Every structure is written in structure tokens, then in C-alpha cells.
Amino acid sequence: MAQMSFLICSAVWLLTVHLWGPRSADGAPDRTHHDPKHSWDALQRQKRNWVWNQFFVLEEYTGTDPLYVGKLHSDVDKADGNVRYVLTGDGASSIFTIDEKTGDIHATKRLDREEQGYYTLRAQAVDRETNAPMEDESEFIVKVQDINDNEPKFLDGPYTAGVPEMSPLGTMVVQVTATDADDPTYGNSARVVYSIIHGHPYFSVEPKTGIIRTALPNMDREMRDQYVVTIQAKDMVGQMGGLSATTSVTVTLTDVNDNPPRFSRIHLRYWLLESVPVPSVVAKLKAADADIDSNAEMDYYIIDGNAPGVFNITTDEETQEGVIFLQRPLDYETKSSFSLKIEATNRNVDPQFLTFGPFSDTAAVKVIVEDVNEPPVFSPLISRMVVSEAARVGTVIGTVSARDPDSSSSAIRYSIDRNTDLERFFNVDALTGVISTAKALDRELNSVHNITIFATENREYNKRIALITVMDINDNAPVFAIEYETLLCENAAPGQVIQTISAVDKDEPLSSHRFYFSLAFSAANNDNFTLRDNKDNTASVLTKRAGFRRQEQSLYLLPVLIEDSGSPALSSTNTLSVRVCDCGMNGVPQACGAVAFSLPAGLSTGALLAILGCIITLLVLMLLIMAMRRRRKTPLFIEDERDVRENIVRYDDEGGGEEDTEAFDMVTLRNLNIIHDSKVQDVSPESVSVYPYSASATSRTSYKTLPDNIVFQEFIWDRLKLTDMDPSAPPYDSLQMYVFEGNGSVADSLSTLESPSSVSEQSYEDLSNWGPRFKKLADLYGNLEGSGIFS
């Protein structure tokens, strides 16, 4: 029954379209067949070759039988079975089939208009027997008729949008759009209307356009900053049975500067030590602002109580805090507290919200200064004092004074930094600060003393520099400025100036300082020289006669008395040496000093020195020759078969065993503490000599009783004297090696070399039983035992 109803509706629909005209609903052109060959006939009569030139078929047909599309019929078909209908074109045989006899067309598959809206087919009537065309091929269209089988879709959803807070009613937020794949030209399948499902009463949507607007005025971001709105799009103009879809729109209220800054506490209190350095952060405070970003930026100001510019305030750009910092040092004793008035003001003010109130706020900040124990304070920091170098020990020079800046005013003690007064010239009274001399002063050694005075109070200290200038007294006699070398020509004329002298004085030079020159009393009446005071702190020495001769006197010593103008005046006698010289025609000295009268006239001093050097060289050579001849008469070695040499054989682990040996003279290693009263054998690198110890050596005390710093010196001196006393010693220096530890070792020697042979408890009888390796030792020590060769 359902299928029959569907077919009836389709037929009614097709008839309606046919009555409306040949143009299709989608605007496809009318494709009525016109055969050029029958154009004249067409003018004569109206002939319709085919019953229909356009067919309609509903999409999404779900029946079990093929869907009837329509019927093709040719005028030449006489219903005698001679006509066969042929269908070709788009979807022929695969989608559409035709009954060859009747021309009925059926759709064998389910069609979807959204995939393909129409199909173009070609039909022809042919002779069944000959297949000859009975009509020209004609084209027609099968259009798929739309049904509402597609719901609307929001291709751009979900949406996000923003709108400023406090916006007026009806402010546009965003526009949403839904699309429907159904045919917009047929029925209401693609006609969409919008409605708001969730978001009331804050927002509304226009049904046709999808524009979302604010539905409430003055929405406050600080109360709620985000809303999620659900929008529905429904086709069929929103009627029942239409298809729908939804999307979400996230609406964010953007901030505007509608909130002024406000201090949570308008009275703030901070404590600060007076010793806090400059600059230091005193406090941080912040005014709360419900706005964000640039709308919450603010500036802070100190508008009252900052006298005189002790504090300043800046804005921390990251936290928007007001940072109060110190600009000048604090002094608890001067001012113990500060009352500041701080203002916070919005930096970016929106004029449309000025009615909301002033966009600033103030707070009272009290800074309380806490007392700390401060060091004493000197005034001034540098003291200048003067003392005479003649001042006696204990003379008061001056006084230093310091005060305790704290309110407690504790006692202060004074002391001198001895690093600045290493020689301890001065003392300071610990309680009064009186500085006095502790040693005699000498301006010529140190004219200015720069000492540091410490003032200490409760472990806090400060220091002050005292410049002490030592005033000069006349305590140094004047002397010659330089060591003069005065030369006098033999042909000098009377009254000739031979030297101009000056003087110096270690005392402080004054503008009125004056030196007086004169000859000493012993030379005041001499006939050779006179002295003239030039009255400009110089004097001139002049000759009183002519005819000086070196042969008679080559050197004159002239005592000069120099006196200063001090009070009391000091003087000194300085000797001026005048040497007589043989001068040339131009007055330049050529030869000075004494003359050797025994020399021939033609023999010079250089020749005399050369002859003397040759004579000395010959004498030295003769002495060397005589000494060598004497040495040849005395044999260097004393052949004594009984000479026994003790040797140490050193076995080198990396060497060649017993064959790798080095011999050392062990006589020098004998016990140094034994008093020798007989001959001791000493062996040098080149000779062997026997000599007695001197009386001083035999009477010397034991080395072990001497101090550590003397024992080595005594040992070396003993060896040196013994070597000097040996008549057969080589006539040249030789290297002596003594292996001697001194008395520093806490362990006794393990060697038998320090044990006298006369009292030795060692037995060497077993050496002969130790094999051939010890045969030589057995021969040596077995024969020596008890012989007393070292006794």
C-alpha cells in the first residue's frame, strides 16, 4: 500500500510538472527532439515522437522492486511488436533499464541527489528485425528529486568570541553559519533557522542570520568572564520533522578599566634599622585592582611626609607593587620615625568609566627607625699637631676627641694603631685622648708622623688620622756641601782664588739662615792662604804668596771654620786639602802630589811599575821551582806492608755484585770521642801520611758534649789543622770527604768503627768458617785482633 501511495504521488507530481511547461526545475534546457529532415513536416503538423522528454525519480528509494521512472512511446509504434526501444547514455543498463517492447523505464539502484542530481540518457526506436532506426535518437533527462535527508552542519564550529565587558544591550558578539546539503530550490529541505538552546538570558541569536548578540547590559568580567552558548540550526524552516544540528560558542568578556585601585589596608607600619645602607628597600605595598593587563597598571607617589627626600617609591612593572627605598642615611638620634602618604593611581584611565569614581587611592605608611650601636664619631676626621724636635719625653702634643652618637653616650677609649707608629714615638691617654711623646724626636730623620687613633665603644670603633709635624731646632752644625778637590798650580800668583766653598745644614732651611766662614785659629796667621767670606753662604780660598813647589810640599791641609746663624749658633771645622800641581802654559794641572827625587830624569812612573811587576813574577817562579824539587826528594807514598786500609764494599742491587765496589777511607770515621795519644793513619786521595795529633786536639772534649751548632765546626777545624801539619801533604788543595753525622742521631751507630780495638768485644774467629767469600776479611780482622793498630 505504501508503495502504491508513493507511485500515485509521483504520478501526480509528474503531471503537474508536465502541465507547468517544458523547462525543468533546476533550469536544465528543454531538449525536445527536432529532426532537420522533418522540419517542413513540423511546420505542417505537430508531431511528438516521444511521450516524455524529462523524467523525475525520488532519491533514497527504499522499495524492493525496481522504481518505475516513466514510459517511452514512439508514434511509429503500432503495437504490433515490430518496434524495439533502445536506451543509452548516463547510467543506462547499470542504473536504468528499459523494456524493449513497452518502453517502460525503471531505476534498479538507490539514487542520491547529493551525489548526482540528474542523468542524461538517449533513446531510440529501431526495427526489431532489421535494427534499422525508425526514429532519430533523442536525448532526455532523468532528474533525481530531492527529499530532506541531510541535516544542517556548522562547518566552522565550535566558535570562540569576545566582547568587552559592560557592553550595552544588543552588542554583536559573533555570527554562526550552518549549511544544508539538500536542494535549496526545492521545498524547505535546505531552509535553516537558528535558535539558542543554552545561554539565556545573557545572549540571543537572530533566527535567519545566526548573529549572536548580548541580551543583558553591563555584564561584569570581574563577576564572570566566560560563557558557553549552544546554538541550534534546523531545516524545514524549523517545522516539526526537520533535521537539526548544534554548535557551541565560547564567549569571553574582555577587560575594560572599570575598577580603580584600592589599598586593602590604609594604615601600614614598617620597622627599619638606622644602619641600613643607601639604597635599600624599605617596604613593598600593593593596591588591589580587579582589572588585568594594561588596565591594572598603576603608578605610586609619595605625596606627603617625605622630608627631606629620605625615601622614594617606584613601581615594580611585573608585580605592580610600590617599592619604597631609602635615599639618604638614617639617624635614630635625629629622627626616629617618618609618616608617609602613598598614592596609587591607574596609569590608563578610560573616560567612559570616570563616573565609577576616582581611579586612585591613598594609604598612610609609618616607618619606625630602630636604634643600633654606632661607632664613635670624630670631629674633625683629621687633626694637625705640631711638636718641637727638642720636646722631652712625655710632652703633650694635642688631644683627640670623639663622641658616642647613640643616646646612651657610653664611655670611649682611645688607642694608637701601632702599624702607623712602629717605633712608638707617641702615646695616647686611653680615657682623655691626650697625645704625648714617648721617645725623643728627630726632624732630620722624620719630619712628619702620620698616625691613626682608634676610638672604641662597646666593640664599635672608629679611627682618626693625626698629622704630627716635628718643628726644627738648630741641632746640626754646618759642613762642606761636597768633598772638595782643590788643585794649586806651582806658578799661582798671590791673591788668586783657588776654590769656592759652600756649606749645608741638616736643619730646616730658613730665609734668614746664614753661614759664616773663617780659617781656624791654628791657620789664621799662615803665610800661604787666606779665606774670604762672600756673605752669600759661600767663601773663596785665595793664595797669599807665589812660588809653591811640589818638591818642598805637595799637600796643604787648611782648616775652615763654618758657623750658622741659629740660636744657639753651631759651628764645625772642616779640612780643605790643597794639592800642589805642575800646570801647563794654559794653567791645566798635569802632575800633582809628591815627586820621587831618586828617579832618573827619563824614567817614568809607568816604567817603574812594569819593572817591579817583572821582578815579582821571577821571584814567584823561583819559589815554585824550589818547592817542586823538594817534593821530588820525598816519596809521596810510604810503603808499609803493615798498612791496613778499611774499606766499605757497597753492593748495588742493579750493578755487578761484589765486583762493583767503591772504596772509601774509613779512618776519618773513627770514633771522634776517643782521645788519641798515638799516631793515627790518615789517607788522602794521593798519599798516605802518619802524623801525630796536636796537644790541642788530644785535649779537646768529646764532640757529643758540644752543642749542635758547634760540633760540625769543631770537626772541620780539627781536620784542617791535621792536614796543615802533614809535611807530606800535596802542595795544592784537595777535596776531603768526611762522613760524619754529628750528635743529632738518637740511635747509636751500628758500625764497629766507633769502638776502640783495644776494648772491642767483637770476635772475628768465625770469619774463616764462612767460606771463600769472607777469606779476605778473616785474614784482615783475624790478624788485626788485639794488635792495637788503631789503639
Side-chain angles (χ1 to χ4, degrees):
M1 181 65 69
Q3 184 177 0
M4 183 63 67
S5 300
F6 178 76
L7 292 177
I8 293 173
C9 291
S10 298
V12 172
W13 173 253
L14 293 176
L15 179 61
T16 302
V17 173
H18 177 69
L19 293 176
W20 283 358
R23 181 169 297 273
S24 65
D26 59 352
D30 186 5
R31 304 197 179 190
T32 306
H33 174 72
H34 295 284
D35 190 355
K37 295 187 301 180
H38 300 88
S39 59
W40 176 256
D41 296 336
L43 294 176
Q44 297 299 319
R45 62 182 178 88
Q46 184 176 2
K47 177 183 179 182
R48 185 177 299 278
N49 295 334
W50 302 106
V51 176
W52 308 109
N53 61 356
Q54 184 171 3
F55 298 93
F56 295 88
V57 60
L58 289 176
E59 64 172 337
E60 304 295 342
Y61 171 69
T62 58
T64 58
D65 297 329
L67 178 62
Y68 178 77
V69 176
K71 182 181 181 65
L72 297 179
H73 182 72
S74 176
D75 293 341
V76 297
D77 187 4
K78 304 301 182 182
D80 54 3
N82 293 328
V83 178
R84 182 168 66 89
Y85 296 96
V86 178
L87 186 66
T88 60
D90 198 6
S93 301
S94 60
I95 298 176
F96 301 101
T97 60
I98 190 171
D99 189 320
E100 294 179 351
K101 295 181 179 180
T102 64
D104 294 332
I105 302 174
H106 292 81
T108 60
K109 291 185 178 180
R110 184 177 178 179
L111 302 180
D112 188 355
R113 189 200 69 82
E114 285 70 38
E115 291 183 3
Q116 188 168 347
Y118 60 90
Y119 297 85
T120 302
L121 299 173
R122 293 180 298 276
Q124 191 174 28
V126 298
D127 186 273
R128 180 177 296 274
E129 295 180 359
T130 63
N131 289 330
M134 301 180 67
E135 292 281 352
D136 292 335
E137 186 179 63
S138 181
E139 183 179 86
F140 65 95
I141 295 174
V142 176
K143 184 177 180 180
V144 181
Q145 189 66 49
D146 181 50
I147 65 172
N148 190 19
D149 60 342
N150 290 280
E151 70 278 2
K153 292 183 179 181
F154 290 96
L155 300 180
D156 297 329
Y159 296 84
T160 58
V163 62
E165 63 171 331
M166 310 304 291
S167 295
L169 179 65
T171 301
M172 177 179 173
V173 179
V174 70
Q175 183 177 14
V176 296
T177 302
T179 59
D180 195 319
D182 292 326
D183 188 358
T185 63
Y186 173 72
N188 297 323
S189 298
R191 295 180 62 185
V192 178
V193 292
Y194 301 93
S195 62
I196 185 167
I197 296 178
H198 180 73
H200 291 294
Y202 307 103
F203 301 95
S204 62
V205 63
E206 294 181 357
K208 295 182 178 180
T209 62
I211 295 177
I212 301 175
R213 300 182 183 274
T214 58
L216 290 178
N218 302 327
M219 287 190 293
D220 192 356
R221 185 199 66 85
E222 287 72 35
M223 299 296 295
R224 182 178 178 182
D225 62 348
Q226 194 173 81
Y227 300 83
V228 178
V229 181
T230 303
I231 303 297
Q232 182 188 65
K234 189 174 183 181
D235 60 11
M236 298 298 292
V237 200
Q239 297 177 2
M240 185 179 297
L243 302 179
S244 64
T246 60
T247 186
S248 64
V249 181
T250 302
V251 181
T252 301
L253 296 183
T254 59
D255 186 56
V256 297
N257 191 6
D258 58 337
N259 292 278
R262 290 290 181 263
F263 285 105
S264 59
R265 295 171 54 195
I266 60 174
H267 295 285
L268 302 171
R269 190 181 297 265
Y270 299 96
W271 283 263
L272 190 64
L273 294 175
E274 65 172 331
S275 59
V276 170
V278 176
S280 295
V281 175
V282 177
K284 292 183 178 181
L285 64 160
K286 184 176 182 179
D289 192 329
D291 298 322
I292 60 174
D293 300 331
S294 62
N295 296 319
E297 293 178 356
M298 62 188 73
D299 295 317
Y300 294 86
Y301 304 95
I302 300 177
I303 60 176
D304 192 15
N306 189 23
V310 178
F311 303 97
N312 197 4
I313 189 169
T314 59
T315 302
D316 187 328
E317 296 299 334
E318 292 184 1
T319 63
Q320 292 301 311
E321 292 178 307
V323 181
I324 303 175
F325 62 91
L326 188 65
Q327 285 194 136
R328 294 185 180 180
L330 299 174
D331 186 6
Y332 171 82
E333 289 71 27
T334 303
K335 191 173 180 62
S336 61
S337 65
F338 296 85
S339 295
L340 308 178
K341 188 175 182 181
I342 308 298
E343 181 184 62
T345 303
N346 267 146
R347 190 176 299 170
N348 305 305
V349 179
D350 193 339
Q352 64 177 327
F353 299 108
L354 289 178
T355 57
F356 285 25
F359 282 79
S360 63
D361 196 14
T362 59
V365 176
K366 187 170 185 178
V367 180
I368 301 174
V369 181
E370 295 183 314
D371 187 26
V372 296
N373 188 21
E374 299 175 273
V377 177
F378 279 106
S379 179
L381 296 179
I382 298 179
S383 294
R384 301 182 184 275
M385 303 177 184
V386 178
V387 62
S388 173
E389 66 176 326
R392 296 182 179 182
V393 175
T395 301
V396 175
I397 302 173
T399 303
V400 293
S401 178
R403 66 176 180 86
D404 184 7
D406 297 321
S407 57
S408 59
S409 297
S410 303
I412 298 174
R413 299 186 64 85
Y414 302 93
S415 61
I416 295 178
D417 183 2
R418 291 303 176 184
N419 291 324
T420 62
D421 185 26
L422 296 176
E423 298 184 15
R424 295 179 177 267
F425 283 107
F426 306 97
N427 285 330
V428 63
D429 189 282
L431 298 178
T432 63
V434 174
I435 300 176
S436 59
T437 59
K439 294 173 62 176
L441 303 176
D442 188 353
R443 189 203 67 84
E444 286 70 40
L445 295 179
N446 194 351
S447 62
V448 177
H449 296 267
N450 188 346
I451 65 174
T452 300
I453 308 297
F454 286 119
T456 307
E457 174 266 326
N458 290 337
R459 298 184 180 180
E460 296 290 336
Y461 71 92
N462 206 340
K463 59 185 179 179
R464 178 183 182 182
I465 298 174
L467 292 176
I468 302 175
T469 303
V470 181
M471 301 300 295
D472 185 48
I473 63 171
N474 192 25
D475 59 344
N476 292 277
V479 296
F480 279 158
I482 62 174
E483 184 177 353
Y484 293 100
E485 182 181 5
T486 305
L487 303 179
L488 174 63
C489 291
E490 291 179 319
N491 57 355
Q496 180 178 345
V497 177
I498 61 174
Q499 185 68 59
T500 299
I501 59 177
S502 62
V504 292
D505 193 333
K506 291 183 179 179
D507 294 323
E508 184 176 2
L510 302 175
S511 60
S512 61
H513 213 62
R514 176 79 164 80
F515 295 127
Y516 302 95
F517 300 87
S518 64
L519 292 177
F521 179 78
S522 59
N525 298 322
N526 72 89
D527 297 331
N528 298 315
F529 306 97
T530 183
L531 185 68
R532 182 183 67 201
D533 191 339
N534 297 326
K535 297 182 180 181
D536 60 353
N537 289 341
T538 65
S540 299
V541 180
L542 300 87
T543 59
K544 294 179 66 175
R545 66 180 178 86
F548 293 92
R549 291 176 58 85
R550 287 187 301 158
Q551 291 79 2
E552 295 177 359
Q553 185 174 350
S554 62
L555 180 65
Y556 294 90
L557 300 178
L558 188 63
V560 178
L561 179 66
I562 309 175
E563 184 179 1
D564 61 19
S565 61
S567 179
L570 297 180
S571 63
S572 67
T573 301
N574 300 264
T575 301
L576 181 67
S577 299
V578 181
R579 192 175 300 276
V580 182
C581 301
D582 180 19
C583 299
M585 297 298 294
N586 54 358
V588 177
Q590 295 180 348
C592 302
V595 180
F597 296 100
S598 60
L599 291 177
L603 190 60
S604 64
T605 303
L608 179 61
L609 293 176
I611 294 173
L612 183 60
C614 292
I615 294 174
I616 294 174
T617 303
L618 291 175
L619 289 175
V620 173
L621 290 175
M622 290 177 65
L623 291 175
L624 290 176
I625 293 173
M626 293 176 65
M628 293 300 293
R629 288 182 178 179
R630 183 179 179 184
R631 295 289 298 174
R632 291 177 182 176
K633 294 179 181 181
T634 304
L636 295 177
F637 297 95
I638 300 177
E639 297 181 1
D640 188 353
E641 295 180 356
R642 293 183 302 170
D643 177 28
V644 178
R645 175 177 297 182
E646 294 185 357
N647 295 280
I648 292 178
V649 179
R650 185 177 69 185
Y651 296 92
D652 192 346
D653 292 341
E654 298 179 12
E658 293 184 359
E659 296 180 358
D660 186 7
T661 62
E662 293 183 7
F664 297 91
D665 181 13
M666 297 303 298
V667 175
T668 58
L669 300 178
R670 287 297 181 185
N671 187 358
L672 301 177
N673 299 315
I674 300 174
I675 300 177
H676 298 278
D677 57 356
S678 61
K679 294 182 180 180
V680 178
Q681 184 175 3
D682 195 2
V683 181
S684 65
E686 297 183 358
S687 63
V688 179
S689 61
V690 179
Y691 55 92
Y693 274 90
S694 64
S696 62
T698 58
S699 63
R700 191 176 304 276
T701 60
S702 172
Y703 286 109
K704 291 186 177 180
T705 63
L706 297 177
D708 291 342
N709 59 342
I710 301 177
V711 61
F712 289 99
Q713 179 180 351
E714 294 297 324
F715 172 74
I716 297 298
W717 275 109
D718 287 348
R719 291 305 173 189
L720 179 60
K721 291 178 181 179
L722 293 178
T723 303
D724 292 341
M725 294 172 61
D726 186 5
S728 61
Y732 49 83
D733 292 337
S734 62
L735 176 65
Q736 298 285 344
M737 181 182 296
Y738 302 103
V739 182
F740 176 58
E741 295 182 357
N743 57 6
S745 177
V746 297
D748 293 334
S749 176
L750 300 179
S751 174
T752 60
L753 298 178
E754 294 185 357
S755 302
S757 60
S758 59
V759 294
S760 174
E761 296 180 1
Q762 297 289 339
S763 175
Y764 302 100
E765 296 178 356
D766 295 336
L767 292 175
S768 58
N769 299 328
W770 289 1
R773 292 179 179 271
F774 299 92
K775 183 175 183 305
K776 186 173 182 180
L777 290 175
D779 294 340
L780 290 174
Y781 289 94
N783 295 331
L784 292 176
E785 184 178 2
S787 64
I789 189 170
F790 292 108
S791 62

